[in-house]
Amino acid sequence: MSVVAAGDGPWLDDAAGRLVRPFTVSNGRTRPTVALDLMSQVMATGATPLGYLGPEHAQALERCSVPVAVAEVAAHLKLPVAVTKVLLADLVDCGALTTKPPAFHHNPTDRALLEAVLDGLRRQL
């Protein structure tokens, strides 16, 4: 059994998996203070957050040096999207991140677009 140190990434155990439960990271909060969807873009402002933020906050902030979608940050952190949104909202609230809604060049409910996405997903399976 090997355990990864706290500073090396998420606390993992080969047999047990993540040692810190996802909602512990957000102190049990499930609702972000800022409206974010999966495709919202977040980017670091360069401002240093005041007060203590957990290691997941630091990892999220590091990932946002360029504009990135909320879904991508969640995948990188290996956390549920609901938890990731809370972490990102914390960073927005303290001025370390800025956010903007996704820019759609197409109608997001366009049937042809949705069918193309579905076909692409089927090819991956």
Side-chain angles (χ1 to χ4, degrees):
M1 173 171 97
S2 69
V3 177
V4 176
D8 295 338
W11 292 355
L12 298 174
D13 178 286
D14 290 341
R18 190 186 246 303
L19 297 177
V20 176
R21 295 292 174 222
F23 287 97
T24 303
V25 172
S26 65
N27 294 324
R29 295 172 294 147
T30 58
R31 300 214 173 149
T33 57
V34 176
L36 297 168
D37 69 23
L38 288 175
M39 294 173 52
S40 294
Q41 298 286 304
V42 289
M43 184 174 172
T45 62
T48 304
L50 299 175
Y52 173 76
L53 295 176
E56 288 82 4
H57 286 95
Q59 290 173 346
L61 189 56
E62 197 175 287
R63 186 70 179 169
C64 297
S65 60
V66 297
V68 63
V70 169
E72 188 174 337
V73 176
H76 176 75
L77 296 178
K78 297 180 180 153
L79 288 172
V81 173
V83 173
T84 303
K85 286 180 179 181
V86 171
L87 295 177
L88 294 174
D90 291 346
L91 292 167
V92 169
D93 290 343
C94 71
L97 282 183
T98 185
T99 181
K100 68 176 185 172
F104 289 109
H105 299 293
H106 303 285
N107 180 0
T109 58
D110 178 29
R111 183 177 179 95
L113 175 63
L114 295 175
E115 286 175 353
V117 169
L118 182 59
D119 290 341
L121 290 173
R122 285 183 179 147
R123 280 189 294 254
Q124 296 296 320
L125 299 176

